Amino acid sequence: MNMRRMGGFITAGLLLLSICSARADAPSADVQGLSFSTALQRAVEQAPSLSAINAGIHAAQASAIAAPALPDPKFIIGADNVPISGADRGNFSRDFMTMEKIGVMQEFPNGDKRRARADIAAAAIAKTQADQVIERQKVRELVATAWINRWYLERELALFDELDQAINQYGDALRTQFQSGSRAAPDALLPAQAAIELADRRDDLTQTLAQARAELRRWLSDDAEMPLQGEPPQFAINVRELHQHVHRHPELAAFGPMTAQAEAELREVEADKKPDVDVEVVYQRRSELFSDMVSVQFTMDLPVFAATRQTPRVEAKRQALAQLDNERLAMVREHSAELDSDIAQYTRIEQQLARLNNSRLPLAQQRVDVQMASYRAGQADLAAVIAARRESIETHLKQLELQNQQAALAAKLFFAYGEQP
């Protein structure tokens, strides 16, 4: 091998190596795409509503620290038995009863009340955490629906491009035939008319797609402008398991901490029937002629009018707890009915898709083939060909529409009842 040829091989090898290196360094197109799982993850990370609830959790946790604590002590300063008349008026040292005092007073709520307040604070934390789960489920469901909707709408728009291309091809062929005199002039207008109708429908679909993008942008901001990557996930729908997991819905799970909070509030008002105790310790200074003193005082509540004070409040809390129980039962029935309705809708979509895939799509394609063969043989006009082609596209659009509805409904059922808490 001569040197020139060897140099050529070396140059080619270096060029190939540089190309491979450049491809390795260049970002992959797939990396730039927005997959379904990535959209859910980023939405949960970026959702302001979840950040707000997270701040609420920290606030509830901070409040729980002080809930069972004693009230702040009170500082006492003053003077007792100061003369205001006679020769000793305004004098702090002549009368043996006059004294300056300084001390502290501490309130001691009864133990049941303090324990109830601690339980209320703990339940408030659990309730806020339950709200976070509810909001997370809502965000994930809405983002999943928006991603799925955009994915299928983009496929529908691609079908319009396919139909548009076919109509343009028909128009070119028809103009050629018209110029040769083999076709009448009115036939030449058919593709233009079909194109106008197609443009109107494309505008409607483009608007719907823009709305889907806007919904996705609500949760993902600029990330929503990324091209979608991958396909919608296939959620397994098991009707029996969904019915068994109806109580798993986050909105129903939130009734646990709500009930715990209501029960703790009931215990707190019941504890009002037990007296609280205040302790006051005071140092009293008198003139140098007399001894200083120390006073200790105990103050106790006297709940002697419980029938008109504490008892009505206790009854109110009991009724609030009963109200909560009935609201939970009502929501269980509501979600059960909603689940039955969603399952019925899912079953209908599944059956329609089966008929469409097994019958309507093959028949529509057969009609296109027959009309095209007849048109080429001069036995059918262009209008029949365009109509058959439009019907085929309409059938594919219906397929995508049903798949969109099915995937969105499956995502809703999964995030509400099928996802592990």
Side-chain angles (χ1 to χ4, degrees):
M1 180 181 294
N2 58 38
M3 296 299 295
R4 180 177 297 178
R5 189 172 182 183
M6 182 178 295
F9 276 118
I10 294 174
T11 302
L14 291 174
L15 179 61
L16 179 61
L17 181 61
S18 64
I19 293 174
C20 293
S21 178
R23 289 181 177 177
D25 295 337
S28 170
D30 292 340
V31 174
Q32 299 300 321
L34 181 65
S35 67
F36 182 83
S37 59
T38 300
L40 295 184
Q41 178 182 354
R42 294 185 181 179
V44 170
E45 293 172 351
Q46 300 175 12
S49 56
L50 285 172
S51 298
I53 294 177
N54 191 48
I57 292 175
H58 291 307
Q61 290 171 339
S63 298
I65 298 174
L70 292 173
D72 290 334
K74 297 179 181 180
F75 177 69
I76 300 172
I77 186 171
D80 287 342
N81 305 318
V82 179
I84 60 173
S85 65
D88 295 335
R89 182 177 61 182
N91 193 292
F92 284 80
S93 60
R94 294 181 181 176
D95 194 300
F96 75 97
M97 295 183 62
T98 302
M99 62 192 76
E100 300 169 348
K101 67 178 181 180
I102 185 170
V104 293
M105 191 270 283
Q106 177 66 60
E107 298 177 0
F108 291 92
N110 66 74
D112 290 345
K113 184 179 294 184
R114 292 174 62 190
R115 284 188 291 271
R117 289 173 180 174
D119 292 341
I120 291 173
I125 296 174
K127 172 60 170 61
T128 311
Q129 291 171 337
D131 291 339
Q132 186 182 48
V133 174
I134 294 173
E135 184 64 20
R136 184 177 182 272
Q137 180 264 335
K138 173 186 172 183
V139 170
R140 285 166 62 83
E141 179 186 331
L142 291 175
V143 173
T145 303
W147 192 98
I148 291 170
N149 192 27
R150 176 184 162 185
W151 192 91
Y152 279 103
L153 288 172
E154 288 178 351
R155 298 307 179 276
E156 291 183 34
L157 197 59
L159 282 180
F160 273 88
D161 293 337
E162 181 182 340
L163 181 57
D164 194 13
Q165 183 180 2
I167 290 176
N168 290 335
Q169 292 175 352
Y170 295 151
D172 293 340
L174 193 59
R175 279 190 293 273
T176 301
Q177 295 175 1
F178 172 69
Q179 292 172 358
S180 64
S182 60
R183 289 288 176 181
D187 288 343
L189 301 177
L190 292 176
Q193 294 173 347
I196 293 173
E197 179 184 350
L198 182 64
D200 291 338
R201 295 194 57 189
R202 183 196 298 274
D203 290 341
D204 294 338
L205 184 59
T206 301
Q207 177 186 352
T208 305
L209 179 58
Q211 293 171 344
R213 289 178 181 271
E215 177 65 17
L216 203 56
R217 194 180 305 112
R218 170 191 174 189
W219 303 106
L220 301 177
S221 187
D222 294 338
D223 290 342
E225 302 302 325
M226 299 169 63
L228 300 187
Q229 173 187 350
E231 297 185 355
Q234 300 296 321
F235 295 107
I237 301 301
N238 187 311
V239 175
R240 181 179 178 181
E241 289 185 357
L242 290 177
H243 280 294
Q244 291 175 345
H245 297 164
V246 68
H247 294 275
R248 182 182 290 177
H249 195 285
E251 290 183 355
L252 291 172
F255 276 90
M258 291 170 63
T259 300
Q261 185 173 2
E263 290 173 344
E265 290 175 352
L266 173 60
R267 292 196 300 273
E268 183 184 22
V269 295
E270 286 177 338
D272 283 339
K273 293 184 177 182
K274 297 180 180 181
D276 297 334
V277 177
D278 300 341
V279 179
E280 180 179 320
V281 179
V282 177
Y283 170 76
Q284 298 163 318
R285 188 181 67 178
R286 299 196 294 176
S287 72
E288 296 178 355
L289 299 176
F290 309 106
S291 301
D292 293 344
M293 296 183 176
V294 173
S295 297
V296 179
Q297 176 175 299
F298 294 88
T299 305
M300 184 178 297
D301 294 331
L302 296 177
V304 294
F305 300 103
T308 56
R309 295 177 181 174
Q310 288 81 16
T311 301
R313 294 174 56 206
V314 169
E315 181 61 23
K317 291 298 181 181
R318 286 176 178 168
Q319 292 301 320
L321 189 58
Q323 177 185 357
L324 201 59
D325 290 338
N326 284 283
E327 287 177 351
R328 181 185 180 280
L329 178 59
M331 185 167 287
V332 168
R333 294 180 179 180
E334 177 184 347
H335 282 290
S336 297
E338 183 180 1
L339 177 60
D340 290 338
S341 177
D342 289 340
I343 290 175
Q345 183 181 359
Y346 186 88
T347 302
R348 173 186 62 81
I349 295 173
E350 196 173 37
Q351 293 172 346
Q352 289 182 349
L353 271 174
R355 286 193 297 269
L356 187 143
N357 293 328
N358 296 332
S359 301
R360 290 184 60 184
L361 277 175
L363 289 174
Q365 186 57 46
Q366 290 176 13
R367 184 182 176 192
V368 171
D369 296 339
V370 170
Q371 292 296 338
M372 282 296 298
S374 299
Y375 176 73
R376 289 167 182 164
Q379 299 176 357
D381 56 13
L382 186 61
V385 176
I386 294 178
R389 185 64 174 168
R390 183 188 294 114
E391 181 182 348
S392 176
I393 296 295
E394 292 285 355
T395 306
H396 280 89
L397 288 173
K398 183 64 175 178
Q399 180 190 40
L400 288 173
E401 179 183 347
L402 289 174
Q403 289 174 340
N404 188 356
Q405 295 176 9
Q406 184 184 45
L409 190 55
K412 174 186 176 182
L413 292 172
F414 172 77
F415 290 123
Y417 306 104
E419 190 176 24
Q420 293 295 326

